[in-house]
Amino acid sequence: MSSGLLFYWFSWILWIVTTFFMAKSKLRTILSCWLLLLILFSGFDVTIEHMQLSVSFLVLLAGALVLHARLAVIVFHVFCSITIMIGYTGVLIWESFTPLKLFLPPFLTISCILFVLVMITTTGLWNRLACSLLGMSGGELLYSIIMSGYSIAAPIGDKRFLDFILVITMALLSHDLLRTLNMKIIRKLQQSIPGPKPLFRKKAQ
């Protein structure tokens, strides 16, 4: 799937959620404007030294760098982003030069591999979002540079890449939401279950 349909669906859903359901704050304004810029510039490309570059890719990369700079342990998360970058590039190369399409849908396979890689490298929703966005952006750039060495044109940040980004983002948000709901249900059940009664009551003296 390289049409960008998933990108438009999920990005508009996230924009509606951040704009109308988040509490009024500076974070809500920044996220809403950032998502709106991603949607608006998704159809614009620029050419830099024979390399086709999406404007939405630049907006995404800038947001990922800002989000990454606000993390607690920057050095560790930079290492996680580099790991995700190498993994994303390796999966794209593997998908390009192996008959993966004959056995499994490439989009589903790559998305599952990236989701598992993000989950095992770091913890926390914002940490995972920052590392996945920066790592996949760097992997997309590295993949295009490698392909250009073989005289294969690979646009940077096309609709296929945007689909991957939004699918991974929605998967991480859904995982965090389910985890939060699970913890609330367990807490409610623990509060509703009465404690064990003593077998023998102590007589009053």
Side-chain angles (χ1 to χ4, degrees):
M1 296 181 70
S2 58
S3 61
L5 183 62
L6 293 176
F7 164 72
Y8 288 117
W9 269 97
F10 290 148
S11 57
W12 277 117
I13 291 173
L14 289 177
W15 183 82
I16 291 173
V17 170
T18 55
T19 305
F20 297 104
F21 293 97
M22 286 184 65
K24 291 184 178 180
S25 61
K26 186 178 180 180
L27 177 63
R28 186 192 74 166
T29 304
I30 294 175
L31 288 177
S32 299
C33 294
W34 184 57
L35 287 170
L36 195 59
L37 289 176
L38 280 177
I39 298 171
L40 291 176
F41 290 117
S42 60
F44 296 91
D45 298 326
V46 294
T47 303
I48 301 175
E49 295 184 358
H50 306 288
M51 297 181 66
Q52 187 177 356
L53 185 68
S54 172
V55 180
S56 291
F57 176 82
L58 298 177
V59 176
L60 181 68
L61 181 60
L65 290 173
V66 172
L67 183 59
H68 219 283
R70 300 180 64 88
L71 298 181
V73 187
I74 298 180
V75 177
F76 172 75
H77 291 104
V78 167
F79 176 77
C80 294
S81 299
I82 294 175
T83 304
I84 296 172
M85 177 186 71
I86 297 174
Y88 179 68
T89 306
V91 170
L92 288 181
I93 295 175
W94 176 55
E95 186 265 336
S96 299
F97 294 98
T98 57
L100 183 63
K101 300 178 182 179
L102 301 177
F103 305 99
L104 295 172
F107 186 85
L108 180 61
T109 305
I110 295 175
S111 299
C112 292
I113 293 175
L114 287 176
F115 177 75
V116 173
L117 183 60
V118 173
M119 293 296 295
I120 63 177
T121 51
T122 184
T123 59
L125 177 61
W126 289 106
N127 297 334
R128 285 169 174 166
L129 286 175
C131 292
S132 61
L133 293 178
L134 185 60
M136 292 178 66
S137 299
E140 180 76 4
L141 182 61
L142 179 60
Y143 174 75
S144 180
I145 294 175
I146 293 174
M147 291 296 102
S148 63
Y150 295 94
S151 300
I152 300 176
I156 304 174
D158 57 356
K159 298 295 179 62
R160 169 195 55 81
F161 168 74
L162 295 177
D163 280 347
F164 280 130
I165 284 289
L166 264 298
V167 167
I168 297 300
T169 301
M170 291 299 293
L172 292 175
L173 292 175
S174 300
H175 175 270
D176 186 75
L177 178 61
L178 292 176
R179 179 175 174 272
T180 303
L181 291 176
N182 185 41
M183 293 178 63
K184 289 184 177 180
I185 292 173
I186 293 176
R187 193 178 299 115
K188 289 291 185 180
L189 291 176
Q190 289 176 349
Q191 292 176 356
S192 62
I193 298 176
K197 295 182 179 180
L199 296 176
F200 302 98
R201 294 181 179 273
K202 187 176 182 181
K203 296 181 179 180
Q205 296 179 357

